[in-house]
Amino acid sequence: MKYIDEFRDRRLAQQLALAIKREASSQRDYRLMEFCGGHTHAISRYGLKDLLPENVYMVHGPGCPVCVLPIGRIDNAIALSREPGVILCTYADTMRVPASNGLSLLKAKAQGADIRMLYSCADALSLAQKNPERNIVFFAIGFETTTPPTAVIIRQARVLGLKNFSVFCNHVLTPPAIAHIVNAPQESGVSIDGFIGPAHVSTVIGSAAYEPFAKEYHRPVVIAGFEPLDVMRAILMLIRQLNENRAEVENEFTRAVTPEGNVKAKMLMSEVFELRDSFEWRGLGEMPKSALRITSAYREFDAERRYDIPYHKVADHKACDCGAILRGLKKPVDCKVFGTACTPENPLGACMVSSEGACAAHYTYGRFRDVIHREEHRHA
C-alpha cells in the first residue's frame, strides 16, 4: 500500500478483524499496551476496540510526553518565565497543563510573564537572534522524537555565539518507561502481555533498541504506524507471537522504521545530551536513567545550570486519576471527574490536555461510544 486512504480501507479492516477473532484463543486474555499517545488517539478515533474480541484488551500507556511531565517541572518553567528579562518559549500543549496553586503557563502569561507558543524549536533560536537584550529559554519536552531538533538548536546557538539562549531540558526516554511498566509491583502496575511500539520514536532509535527488552522481560513488541490498519495488523502480530510463546521485536512500520534508526540523529543526541541519574515521571515516579540533560560541554546553554532553580516534587490534583491511567491501572471513564469537572476546556490533569492524552482522546471520540453501549445493554 502506498496511499493514506489504503491504510483506512474498511474492507481490509474487516478482514483484519476476522483474522484477529479467528486467531485470538478463547482460552486466554490478551492485554496489549499501546505505548504511544498517537496510537491511543487512533484507537479512539477509529473505534478499533469495537472490532476486537472481548478478550483482547487495549491498555493505555505513558506515551504522551505532555502527560508524563510532572507538575514540579511546569512549576520550574513558570519560575523561569518570571526571571527578569526572560522570554520562555514552548510548544502549545504545555501551556494548559495544570501546575501548583491553580496556575498554568497560560495563566502565568495572563499575569504578565512573557511566554511564547512556538510550532518549531528553531523559532526560539530566531527569537534569540532578534532580541539580543532578552534571555530566551526554550522549554524542551518530548520523547526521542523531539530530542534531535533540540540538539540541533543547541549546536546552532554555539555556532552563532548566542549568549542569550538556553534550554530547559525535559526530554525523556521510551525503553526505560516500558521496562518500568513490566517491573512495577502488581499493586502499582498492571500485567501486560505485549506492547505496540511507538512509531515516531522508533524512526529515531530503531527497532533494534527494543531487542534487549524483549529478551530480558519476555514480552513481544510490534512497532506500528499510526493508521488504523497499522494498529490492527500490529495487534494480530502480537496475538500470533503470544500464541506461539514468542517474545520478539517485529516491525510493522517498515515504510519508516529500520533496525538501526536514524544514526545521524542518535549521534547528535549523544553529543549534546547525557543520561540523568533519575527523573520523575507523572504516574510512574522517579525512574533511573530515564531522561536526558545537557552535557557539560554545552553547559552554557543549560537553563537549569544558568538559573539554578531547584526542583520540588508536587502531588497531582486529588480528584485526578491521570497517574493511574498512565500506568494502565485505570481507564479515563474510571476517573470520577472525567467529562464533568475535567474537560479539555478545563483540564484538572495533563491527560486531558494533549490530543495524545488518553482522557482527551476518549473525551473526543469514546464517550459517545460509551453512551451507545450503555443504551444497548439497557434495552438488551
Side-chain angles (χ1 to χ4, degrees), residues 215-242:
K215 291 178 182 177
E216 182 175 353
Y217 300 108
H218 200 70
R219 298 291 197 286
V221 178
V222 175
I223 298 160
F226 290 122
E227 295 303 321
L229 296 193
D230 284 321
V231 178
M232 291 193 68
R233 185 161 178 251
I235 292 170
L236 179 60
M237 292 165 73
L238 283 170
I239 288 172
R240 286 173 175 168
Q241 283 207 51
L242 291 167

Side-chain angles (χ1 to χ4, degrees), residues 76-290:
N76 283 159
I78 292 173
L80 282 168
S81 73
R82 290 172 170 170
E83 287 283 324
V86 163
I87 299 175
L88 184 80
C89 302
T90 188
Y91 299 124
D93 279 350
T94 61
M95 294 290 291
R96 298 189 305 114
V97 179
S100 298
N101 303 315
L103 279 176
S104 65
L105 286 168
L106 192 62
K107 291 177 180 178
K109 178 180 175 67
Q111 292 177 357
D114 196 342
I115 302 173
R116 314 281 180 93
M117 292 179 287
L118 306 179
Y119 289 104
S120 166
C121 60
D123 293 337
L125 203 66
S126 177
L127 197 63
Q129 291 176 280
K130 295 175 182 176
N131 296 271
E133 75 289 353
R134 302 289 298 277
N135 290 312
I136 312 303
V137 179
F138 176 59
F139 180 21
I141 73 161
F143 292 99
E144 293 92 339
T145 311
T146 55
T147 306
T150 304
V152 168
I153 63 169
I154 291 174
R155 280 185 53 175
Q156 287 180 331
R158 170 175 284 182
V159 171
L160 294 169
L162 294 177
K163 304 297 183 184
N164 65 327
F165 178 79
S166 61
V167 171
F168 178 37
C169 180
N170 293 272
H171 287 298
V172 292
L173 304 174
T174 304
I178 297 178
H180 181 89
I181 292 291
V182 175
N183 283 327
Q186 193 61 45
E187 62 272 12
S188 62
V190 62
S191 177
I192 300 297
D193 298 313
F195 290 87
I196 297 180
H200 287 158
V201 165
S202 300
T203 64
V204 177
I205 66 175
S207 60
Y210 305 98
E211 294 286 354
F213 170 86
K215 291 178 182 177
E216 182 175 353
Y217 300 108
H218 200 70
R219 298 291 197 286
V221 178
V222 175
I223 298 160
F226 290 122
E227 295 303 321
L229 296 193
D230 284 321
V231 178
M232 291 193 68
R233 185 161 178 251
I235 292 170
L236 179 60
M237 292 165 73
L238 283 170
I239 288 172
R240 286 173 175 168
Q241 283 207 51
L242 291 167
N243 288 346
E244 297 167 8
N245 196 30
R246 290 187 291 119
E248 301 172 3
V249 177
E250 292 184 311
N251 182 13
E252 185 277 337
F253 199 31
T254 53
R255 61 188 186 275
V257 174
T258 61
E260 66 277 6
N262 189 324
V263 176
K264 187 174 182 178
K266 290 192 292 185
M267 290 177 62
L268 184 59
M269 288 163 58
S270 64
E271 175 189 338
V272 178
F273 300 109
E274 62 187 5
L275 285 174
R276 292 180 185 266
D277 291 333
S278 183
F279 192 83
E280 184 193 359
W281 293 49
R282 186 191 301 267
L284 279 67
E286 288 282 340
M287 288 200 295
K289 312 296 184 185
S290 64

Side-chain angles (χ1 to χ4, degrees), residues 347-360:
L348 293 183
C351 292
M352 189 61 90
V353 174
S354 170
S355 62
E356 293 189 353
C359 293

Side-chain angles (χ1 to χ4, degrees), residues 34 38-50 52 58-60 196 226 231 235 365:
E34 81 274 0
H39 291 143
T40 299
H41 183 87
I43 289 168
S44 292
R45 178 182 179 183
Y46 295 104
L48 300 189
K49 289 182 181 179
D50 289 338
L52 302 177
M58 300 308 300
V59 182
H60 307 310
I196 297 180
F226 290 122
V231 178
I235 292 170
Y365 303 108

